[in-house]
Amino acid sequence: MTHSATVANHEHGPAKGLSRWLFTTNHKDIGTMYLVFSLCMLFIGGAMAFVIRAELFQPGLQLIEPDFFNQMITMHGLIMVFGAVMPAFVGLANWMIPLMIGAPDMALPRLNNLSFWILPFAFLMMLSTLFMDGGGPNFGWTFYAPLSTTYAPPSVTFFIFTVHMMGLSSIMGAINVVVTILNMRAPGMTLMKMPMFCWTWLITAFLLIAVMPVLGGVVTMMLMDVHFGTSFFDAGGGGDPVLFQHVFWFFGHPEVYIMILPSFGVVSEVLPTFARKRLFGYTSMVYAIVAIAVLSFVVWAHHMFTVGMPLAGELFFMYTTMLIAVPTGVKIFNWVSTMFKSSMTFETPMLFALAFVILFTVGGLSGIMLALAPVDFVYHDTYFVVAHFHYVLVPGAIFGIFAAVYYWLPKWCGRMYDESIAKLHFWLSFIGLNITFFPMHFVGLAGMPRRIPDYSLQFADFNMIISMGAFLFGMSQLVFVYNLFKTLRSGEKSAHRPWEGAHGLEWTVETPAPYHTFATPPKVD
Amino acid sequence: MNKRLSMLNRRITFSLILSLLPTSVWAAWQMNMNRGVTDNSVAIYDLHMIVFYICVVISVIVFGLMFWSIFHHRKSKGAVAHQFYESTSIEIIWTLVPIVILVAIAVPATSTLLDTYDHSESDIDIQVTGYQWKWRYKYIGEDIDFFSVLTTPDEEIHNKKEKNPNYLLEVDKPLVVPINKKIRFLFTSNDVIHAWWVPDLALKKDAIPGFINESSTKINTPGIYRGQCAELCGKNHGFMPIVVKAVTETEYIAWLATQKVEKAKMASASKKTWALAELITKGEQVYNKNCMACHLDTGMGIPPVFPALKDSSIVKGSLEAHLDIVLNGKSGTAMSAFGSQLSATEIAAVVTYERNAWGNNMGDFIQPADVENLMGAAK
Amino acid sequence: MKLAKPRTLALISIMMFGFGFLLVPLYSVFCELTGINGKTSGAFQGSYSSHQMVARKVKVQFISNQNANMNWPFKALEEQVEVNLGEKRKVVFNVTNITNSVAVTQAVPSVSPSAAAPYLHKIECFCFEQQTLAIGENKEMPLVFFIDKELPDHINKLTLSYTLFDVTKDHIQAPSS
């Protein structure tokens, strides 16, 4: 695929000062804001993880009381899911989709600005609940009723409003992505010529539009139960707590694919570049993403195997959940085939992408184990599940984000990051996360439940190791921040195409990318 | 890169070996689930091991290929990229082969699941109710109904005393059941969703307020089996364990008899007249087991959610009002109705204790018989 | 294409919000039809005829629960009965309001195994209405039921549970004395 380079439009540069950021409609600025916001949230959520692991370092209650512990695990989950992972991917979408499809900006720039600015406001509200009377949300990020309705602290109302706002932000962002991708591709760029990152975001955006409103619905039902005397989830009024779980997980399961699909897209960009070889099986990869997205709608009750479903229900959800392994496996095999008989170098983005393939597979395999309903009776609500989802989210989603940031940072800021420091960040993170999350499989199998601030003595040794790993992993992220500052201040100037094997429209613009790009669409054949 | 291969393989081998050893030896470093003591638990364990080995084999193949490729297809080694990028036949193969493997796993998974839905008639039925934060067991058809509460002392939890071997897994009254009999549990909850879980029985079921769920077990080996609540249910979710004591049928019948004797003793205890000092001593025990978790040993509580009892206007006010709150709870707050959880003697004792402890020194007390009249007839 | 328009996508998201709420009655209907969550359908619609009776016995247990602070003494006078399929049977529940105010309670039924729920027909049940009890009042509440003769063969024992909920606050009418 050849393409002509475009001349950046220098009619006017960005505004100056705070108003630049408050009122910008520029996809690059908005992308940057999402990414900075997400990094801040990563540290806040990470600080909560520190508190959790500090308390779990030894048996007994040393530092905090159980109710505050429950607030920490709840907020850690909410912040990481809705504040760190999702906004990071939206930030990447904002920065890269227009550049990858040869568009001057997103289709709905003002909506884009609103979508971002809702978030700091929403999270300020959510974090402030920790200081309210009765404390913040303490019912888990999955907030099952009636613990989150009848038995919730007063701050639950603010929690509900926060979710409404985050949901609106995500839905509007997703609409923006779909409209941009479907309408603004450069002439000649058919859907099947589009970069994989754009494909994964297109599908992710459809998932967001379909399921975030359902989350909005379920928290509205909660609001009505708490304040307006309805009984959606209260058996006394004719309702059913299990209804909550069905509606929540109808959102919740596609949500976890929303969190991983863009990461798949990043890996599909990074691996071919550093392997100097085209992505293997592009068409199958596209079909696999679509299959995963469609299947994600019919597996939700695998989170509810112990709720008392009849046999037919358990079997149905067991089979559909096992089925999702097929398109996922196809993707992994395609990535390995991309590497096979290639010519690889191992710069930091590649290291993160390779670690993704290995460790996401580990998480995916524990997922197959969890899919088997009768064995899930033993795994459910234990640390085995915690291990599983942290493997798919940390070396899965988060490593995808790091790979993307290292990969595209030179284009964003015109400077090359320090490769040695970056590699240090990678190795410390890799070692740290494995020390943290691998032993969780063991304690979970040995019988340690989730969401407990104190545990019986036979789990002590592994928990100490897990906490040490967590501290290592957390501190390693400071290496990343240091590298970021060092790069922005004094990094070596980067070439337009710093990676030899990189192909794609984004590499044809100047480095750093000019404020406005592709004012005239490039020709793609 | 070889490092990664050997590190991963070492972990897998280690865990494979460990999984074959008796887990009791490795209690502190246990890496695998127990085989358990029921036919279902053994079937589930076997299924777990089968799928685990399959996952190991898949990992070895996929990662092996990856590491081989990382080693051999490196630019620094002079590798040149071969530009192949699609093959419909291989895509079909690696779509069909996983499907075949999954169907192969689905067969034993389905039959194991079917076994857990076995509807043969049970010998014993037990109603299990989750409360915040304890379990209640009622044997249907027998006049046995009791609460099972964590007995690990607060000093151990707050690191003032060394922790005992059954730390957080010990209760005052375990669930006693006979081996070789089918026991059907009916689960529900008094408040929020809890879950009853005993790993050695491979039995975990949610306890949902307003609804009943059932699950059955048949224990093959006598012994003590400990479990925990497995659904976040509030503050003390981690502090409501389960202890099942499986005994021979003879021992079970003997136990049933002792329960009848216990009940008679409790009934007569509530008829006699208690002295103030006796009530206070008993009351302190009851308080430590049932009230201290929220109102603290100092009586200071954790306001505003858990009010202080020391110098409280209610505790130092009318005896009737104080009793009413203990018996019937306070709706809209976390204060439970202990009238359905404690005996008349225990209620009389704890109310007396609260009115006289921490310098409250009211000097008054109430007799169990009077509490009994308030608690109503059939219980 | 239509999907490429913001308006269409916004409409889809609004519809999905509505779908979330639609799941509520959908869930109810699905559960009632299949009895999947052990929820019994309301009063038996139809006329009972003793010709329905079949010479197959089944054990029916009655358990009682109280929700939250609803600690009224409440239990069935017979914990377990044996009935023929299709045989009409009456069981009495006893409840006392031991609090010091008038209170209204709602009994919520639940059946296990859930597969049995569609086959339990209640002709008369105290769970059909909210029950008001004066201070200290003791009430005998009847349940008249029969088990459908189509009850699956593998079920020979079923349990009906009632959970008492305190609905005094939500009770709109003035409580009767």
Side-chain angles (χ1 to χ4, degrees):
Chain A
M1 173 170 81
T2 60
H3 32 257
S4 47
T6 45
V7 176
N9 189 329
H10 288 293
E11 266 175 15
H12 56 91
K16 297 267 176 281
L18 192 60
S19 12
R20 167 180 173 182
W21 301 101
L22 281 172
F23 303 114
T24 180
T25 53
N26 183 290
H27 73 101
K28 303 184 179 74
D29 276 354
I30 294 176
T32 302
M33 290 197 292
Y34 268 109
L35 287 166
V36 169
F37 173 79
S38 146
L39 185 63
C40 296
M41 288 292 124
L42 184 73
F43 276 99
I44 295 178
M48 295 175 179
F50 260 31
V51 171
I52 294 167
R53 287 315 321 178
E55 179 55 59
L56 292 174
F57 185 64
Q58 285 180 303
L61 292 176
Q62 282 85 10
L63 302 167
I64 56 176
E65 286 301 302
D67 187 65
F68 187 68
F69 182 88
N70 289 345
Q71 291 175 50
M72 287 290 99
I73 52 135
T74 304
M75 295 295 261
H76 166 76
L78 290 168
I79 287 178
M80 290 306 204
V81 168
F82 294 108
V85 173
M86 287 172 78
F89 281 130
V90 178
L92 291 173
N94 262 292
W95 250 110
M96 301 314 302
I97 292 178
L99 285 175
M100 287 170 132
I101 62 175
D105 207 300
M106 298 292 285
L108 306 162
R110 276 174 293 187
L111 194 71
N112 208 6
N113 174 292
L114 179 64
S115 303
F116 171 74
W117 278 108
I118 288 178
L119 290 185
F121 184 67
F123 279 88
L124 216 62
M125 181 183 280
M126 181 142 89
L127 288 168
S128 73
T129 60
L130 286 169
F131 302 100
M132 293 179 184
D133 239 351
N138 56 3
F139 28 69
W141 90 273
T142 53
F143 53 102
Y144 284 1
L147 184 62
S148 61
T149 50
T150 318
Y151 295 82
S155 64
V156 69
T157 312
F158 293 98
F159 162 75
I160 292 171
F161 288 148
T162 305
V163 173
H164 277 141
M165 287 192 276
M166 295 183 311
L168 266 162
S169 163
S170 294
I171 295 169
M172 296 192 302
I175 292 178
N176 219 342
V177 167
V178 173
V179 177
T180 307
I181 293 181
L182 291 184
N183 286 299
M184 293 172 72
R185 279 164 290 124
M189 182 176 287
T190 59
L191 281 174
M192 292 309 268
K193 282 205 186 128
M194 196 167 69
M196 281 302 290
F197 180 70
C198 300
W199 259 115
T200 55
W201 245 113
L202 180 64
I203 303 299
T204 303
F206 274 117
L207 282 177
L208 279 163
I209 291 168
V211 302
M212 284 311 270
V214 176
L215 178 69
V218 83
V219 297
T220 307
M221 291 180 217
M222 271 174 73
L223 189 71
M224 290 166 72
D225 266 16
V226 171
H227 289 290
F228 301 120
T230 56
S231 306
F232 287 99
F233 312 124
D234 173 16
D240 187 351
V242 177
L243 171 68
F244 177 90
Q245 295 185 36
H246 280 292
V247 187
F248 176 81
W249 284 116
F250 186 81
F251 147 79
H253 198 81
E255 165 66 17
V256 309
Y257 290 102
I258 287 167
M259 287 198 281
I260 200 68
L261 251 39
S263 214
F264 287 168
V266 170
V267 172
S268 294
E269 298 295 329
V270 171
L271 275 182
T273 296
F274 294 92
R276 293 161 184 73
K277 184 162 161 277
R278 255 174 83 163
L279 180 71
F280 190 90
Y282 177 94
T283 316
S284 304
M285 290 293 249
V286 172
Y287 286 145
I289 301 168
V290 175
I292 291 172
V294 168
L295 277 170
S296 74
F297 282 99
V298 291
V299 299
W300 77 87
H302 67 227
H303 299 272
M304 298 163 57
F305 277 144
T306 63
V307 101
M309 272 192 292
L311 181 64
E314 306 252 328
L315 284 174
F316 174 78
F317 287 107
M318 174 165 82
Y319 297 149
T320 52
T321 307
M322 290 169 82
L323 205 57
I324 269 201
V326 177
T328 316
V330 164
K331 293 190 78 65
I332 294 175
F333 302 142
N334 276 288
W335 284 319
V336 176
S337 304
T338 307
M339 295 163 56
F340 201 71
K341 292 218 174 119
S342 66
S343 177
M344 285 185 272
T345 49
F346 303 99
E347 291 87 328
T348 307
M350 182 62 158
L351 290 176
F352 277 104
L354 288 171
F356 173 99
V357 178
I358 300 172
L359 298 176
F360 174 80
T361 304
V362 170
L365 290 171
S366 63
I368 294 186
M369 294 170 78
L370 287 160
L372 305 183
V375 205
D376 186 60
F377 293 160
V378 181
Y379 306 141
H380 176 69
D381 253 297
T382 67
Y383 264 80
F384 191 80
V385 178
V386 181
H388 160 73
F389 67 70
H390 280 99
Y391 261 89
V392 290
L393 281 174
V394 178
I398 305 265
F399 271 24
I401 296 168
F402 280 136
V405 170
Y406 283 115
Y407 185 54
W408 284 310
L409 189 67
K411 181 59 64 182
W412 298 339
C413 69
R415 295 172 183 274
M416 191 42 129
Y417 62 82
D418 184 317
E419 184 65 46
S420 321
I421 298 178
K423 286 205 163 81
L424 179 68
H425 171 225
F426 169 76
W427 284 109
L428 288 176
S429 299
F430 179 86
I431 293 169
L433 85 86
N434 278 299
I435 296 176
T436 311
F437 301 115
F438 206 78
M440 287 186 181
H441 293 107
F442 305 146
V443 288
L445 290 177
M448 182 175 171
R450 272 177 87 167
R451 297 170 164 170
I452 54 174
D454 191 9
Y455 45 81
S456 47
L457 300 178
Q458 74 257 39
F459 307 126
D461 297 301
F462 275 130
N463 267 287
M464 185 176 278
I465 293 176
I466 291 170
S467 288
M468 298 196 298
F471 296 142
L472 174 61
F473 180 74
M475 299 312 262
S476 314
Q477 307 320 309
L478 295 173
V479 175
F480 171 73
V481 176
Y482 170 69
N483 202 351
L484 217 53
F485 276 110
K486 181 168 188 282
T487 306
L488 291 170
R489 261 206 330 182
S490 57
E492 216 180 279
K493 291 240 184 297
S494 163
H496 290 338
R497 199 165 63 100
W499 317 114
E500 178 190 25
H503 300 287
L505 283 177
E506 74 266 31
W507 301 108
T508 65
V509 304
E510 283 170 33
T511 305
Y515 201 57
H516 297 295
T517 41
F518 294 127
T520 358
K523 278 205 183 48
V524 172
D525 43 40
Chain B
M1 311 309 153
N2 272 330
K3 245 192 299 177
R4 255 184 271 167
L5 166 66
S6 55
M7 192 156 69
L8 197 59
N9 272 341
R10 229 183 293 135
R11 264 190 237 131
I12 292 170
T13 324
F14 192 56
S15 64
L16 267 172
I17 295 174
L18 270 177
S19 68
L20 301 170
L21 289 167
T23 49
S24 55
V25 177
W26 299 86
W29 297 97
Q30 183 177 340
M31 292 165 84
N32 198 3
M33 62 169 87
N34 291 340
R35 295 188 84 228
V37 294
T38 72
D39 292 346
N40 275 344
S41 71
V42 171
I44 286 171
Y45 174 86
D46 289 339
L47 183 59
H48 159 75
M49 292 311 292
I50 292 172
V51 71
F52 171 67
Y53 289 137
I54 292 176
C55 290
V56 168
V57 168
I58 295 174
S59 313
V60 166
I61 295 174
V62 175
F63 301 155
L65 257 151
M66 267 188 82
F67 294 136
W68 199 87
S69 190
I70 287 171
F71 187 71
H72 285 284
H73 303 141
R74 282 185 281 165
K75 181 166 182 218
S76 58
K77 274 196 106 191
V80 171
H82 289 60
Q83 293 299 337
F84 58 90
Y85 51 86
E86 62 188 0
S87 158
T88 317
S89 42
I90 205 172
E91 299 282 359
I92 293 177
I93 293 175
W94 66 39
T95 307
L96 288 178
V97 170
I99 291 180
V100 168
I101 297 176
L102 288 170
V103 169
I105 302 175
V107 172
T110 306
S111 74
T112 308
L113 187 65
L114 273 156
D115 287 338
T116 65
Y117 277 80
D118 160 46
H119 277 305
S120 60
E121 194 175 325
S122 53
D123 300 303
I124 299 177
D125 301 279
I126 302 179
Q127 182 183 344
V128 177
T129 309
Y131 278 69
Q132 279 179 321
W133 292 279
K134 58 201 100 170
W135 294 96
R136 178 181 191 172
Y137 303 117
K138 186 181 176 327
Y139 289 64
I140 297 174
E142 308 276 351
D143 194 17
I144 298 179
D145 182 357
F146 60 88
F147 281 84
S148 188
V149 180
L150 173 73
T151 49
T152 299
D154 192 71
E155 297 93 50
E156 287 185 30
I157 296 177
H158 284 99
N159 311 302
K160 300 198 186 103
K161 215 172 103 178
E162 197 183 311
K163 298 170 173 55
N164 75 80
N166 289 320
Y167 179 71
L168 293 191
L169 291 176
E170 49 190 346
V171 296
D172 55 345
K173 297 186 188 150
L175 182 71
V176 179
V177 290
I179 56 169
N180 298 327
K181 292 272 185 235
K182 181 170 176 187
I183 304 158
R184 175 169 163 259
F185 296 107
L186 291 150
F187 301 103
T188 188
S189 165
N190 173 263
D191 32 51
V192 296
I193 301 180
H194 300 267
W196 199 84
W197 176 38
V198 180
D200 282 311
L201 309 182
L203 201 160
K204 183 183 290 148
K205 211 44 158 243
D206 286 2
I208 300 167
F211 293 87
I212 46 170
N213 267 337
E214 74 172 56
S215 202
S216 308
T217 191
K218 186 151 160 234
I219 305 176
N220 298 329
T221 319
I224 298 183
Y225 307 111
R226 303 174 192 271
Q228 294 186 262
C229 177
E231 185 60 59
L232 179 63
C233 53
K235 188 167 89 87
N236 286 341
H237 162 59
F239 302 96
M240 46 183 291
I242 293 141
V243 178
V244 176
K245 193 167 167 210
V247 296
T248 62
E249 195 176 351
T250 336
E251 288 171 320
Y252 177 67
I253 295 175
W255 178 79
L256 286 177
T258 62
Q259 291 305 295
K260 290 203 172 36
V261 173
E262 283 289 322
K263 201 155 177 144
K265 258 203 258 174
M266 268 211 319
S268 62
S270 66
K271 300 279 188 296
K272 79 164 209 193
T273 310
W274 289 62
L276 175 60
E278 290 180 299
L279 284 170
I280 291 181
T281 310
K282 175 136 185 97
E284 187 175 7
Q285 289 168 9
V286 175
Y287 182 84
N288 288 347
K289 193 158 72 140
N290 296 285
C291 321
M292 185 160 70
C294 299
H295 291 290
L296 305 192
D297 55 346
T298 53
M300 294 301 291
I302 314 168
V305 185
F306 307 109
L309 300 180
K310 177 182 155 76
D311 299 322
S312 146
S313 55
I314 293 174
V315 175
K316 293 178 80 165
S318 112
L319 185 53
E320 283 70 35
H322 181 186
L323 202 48
D324 184 61
I325 290 200
V326 173
L327 279 176
N328 301 311
K330 189 160 180 208
S331 70
T333 72
M335 178 63 187
S336 308
F338 283 90
S340 56
Q341 300 185 24
L342 300 174
S343 69
T345 310
E346 290 170 314
I347 301 244
V350 79
V351 167
T352 305
Y353 172 71
E354 287 169 1
R355 298 178 77 78
N356 291 285
W358 316 299
N360 282 346
N361 296 338
M362 293 301 289
D364 58 4
F365 55 95
I366 183 164
Q367 292 295 334
D370 298 321
V371 175
E372 208 165 48
N373 292 335
L374 280 168
M375 280 162 86
K379 237 200 83 163
Chain C
M1 61 176 115
K2 283 265 167 40
L3 270 180
K5 286 203 185 130
R7 192 173 40 188
T8 319
L9 297 166
L11 222 65
I12 294 177
S13 66
I14 293 170
M15 272 173 25
M16 288 307 291
F17 181 79
F19 176 72
F21 277 89
L22 195 68
L23 282 176
V24 180
L26 267 174
Y27 179 80
S28 258
V29 167
F30 192 67
C31 288
E32 259 184 52
L33 277 177
T34 59
I36 267 178
N37 66 348
K39 218 168 171 173
T40 54
S41 37
F44 176 61
Q45 310 291 341
S47 51
Y48 171 75
S49 122
S50 54
H51 297 306
Q52 312 247 5
M53 202 158 90
V54 155
R56 177 183 146 206
K57 278 197 181 323
V58 83
K59 296 196 179 90
V60 184
Q61 295 173 328
F62 301 97
I63 62 178
S64 52
N65 296 287
Q66 291 111 329
N67 182 265
N69 288 342
M70 193 83 212
N71 65 334
W72 299 1
F74 168 56
K75 73 191 246 190
L77 295 183
E78 293 170 272
E79 221 170 358
Q80 182 170 290
V81 299
E82 214 171 332
V83 292
N84 287 306
L85 294 187
E87 176 191 333
K88 192 163 74 164
R89 187 64 183 262
K90 178 169 167 183
V91 175
V92 175
F93 284 75
N94 192 291
V95 70
T96 314
N97 176 359
I98 57 169
T99 64
N100 52 16
S101 51
V102 178
V104 188
T105 183
Q106 172 70 58
V108 175
S110 179
V111 173
S112 190
S114 53
Y119 301 96
L120 171 71
H121 300 300
K122 300 195 240 56
I123 297 171
E124 194 190 317
C125 179
F126 56 90
C127 59
F128 293 159
E129 288 134 8
Q130 295 177 344
Q131 303 288 328
T132 307
L133 274 86
I135 302 173
E137 182 183 347
N138 174 281
K139 212 172 192 174
E140 286 215 336
M141 304 188 297
L143 161 72
V144 180
F145 73 97
F146 71 95
I147 311 282
D148 197 299
K149 64 183 189 335
E150 300 298 322
L151 182 76
D153 288 331
H154 64 263
I155 300 175
N156 37 47
K157 191 195 306 192
L158 60 105
T159 308
L160 171 61
S161 144
Y162 283 102
T163 307
L164 285 187
F165 283 80
D166 183 357
V167 294
T168 316
K169 271 194 308 206
D170 313 320
H171 193 74
I172 319 161
Q173 321 153 245
S176 52
S177 49

